[in-house]
Amino acid sequence: MSEHRSASTLLIVDDDPAMVRLLSTFTARAFGDDMHIETATDPQAALERIDQGGIDILLTDLDMPEVGGIDVLKSAKRRNACTQVIVLTGHSSGQALLSALELGASDYVLKPVDQETLLSLLRQAHRRRLRWQQALVATWQQKKYACATE
């Protein structure tokens, strides 16, 4: 575990392929090698990808047919409580947003998406993941050292 990654894996989930292309394009331009971007236009495929692990940041639409953003959020948090989740919504109720935040979403963005607002939230999520990762590595190394000296 001495070698840890600095790039975050971002999963973008929206049932609108044009929205997914737009979000992934400007995010890739803004982050370059600091963000590995994966996309899904099928929420069920997103759930399957989340089950594989390794998703650091989830950007998901709340309003999708069959499997909604709340279900995607719950799955991500069940798999890894440290996953940063930002929800997108065009016409969700205040109750849906409140539920998302109560279930562990870091923040939300209203559609139409303001690019700078979203990029700022993604930067915050990326930095938070790096801080948590560094803290976990330091804790693991301390335990490893303590066990070696006992």
Side-chain angles (χ1 to χ4, degrees):
M1 192 161 177
S2 60
E3 184 181 320
H4 56 285
R5 58 194 175 90
S6 61
S8 292
T9 298
L10 166 67
L11 176 60
I12 299 172
V13 183
D14 196 308
D15 59 324
D16 179 355
M19 178 61 75
V20 168
R21 279 192 305 276
L22 175 70
L23 295 172
S24 62
T25 298
F26 75 71
T27 303
R29 277 192 207 127
F31 285 92
D33 292 339
D34 288 337
M35 191 81 65
H36 172 73
I37 301 168
E38 298 182 27
T39 63
T41 55
D42 174 6
Q44 189 60 46
L47 293 176
E48 292 167 12
R49 174 57 188 94
I50 288 167
D51 284 343
Q52 296 171 11
I55 301 300
D56 301 306
I57 304 169
L58 172 66
L59 178 59
T60 184
D61 187 15
L62 276 182
D63 303 310
M64 296 182 287
E66 296 175 34
V67 177
I70 294 290
D71 295 319
V72 177
L73 162 65
K74 286 178 181 177
S75 178
K77 287 298 193 174
R78 231 182 351 261
R79 180 70 171 95
N80 179 357
C82 294
T83 299
Q84 302 297 297
V85 180
I86 301 169
V87 295
L88 296 167
T89 184
H91 49 272
S92 290
S93 68
Q95 184 57 45
L97 284 174
L98 184 59
S99 293
L101 294 170
E102 287 174 345
L103 290 167
S106 307
D107 217 317
Y108 67 93
V109 176
L110 297 175
K111 291 180 181 179
V113 174
D114 177 75
Q115 185 174 330
E116 286 308 311
T117 299
L118 179 57
L119 290 175
S120 175
L121 292 173
L122 288 171
R123 282 185 199 98
Q124 291 172 31
H126 174 67
R127 286 193 301 266
R128 189 177 304 117
R129 185 202 61 87
L130 290 175
R131 280 194 314 271
W132 290 358
Q133 182 180 23
Q134 290 167 351
L136 288 171
V137 167
T139 300
W140 183 80
Q141 288 173 341
Q142 287 175 348
K143 284 188 175 206
K144 182 177 163 185
Y145 176 76
C147 290
T149 59
E150 290 179 356

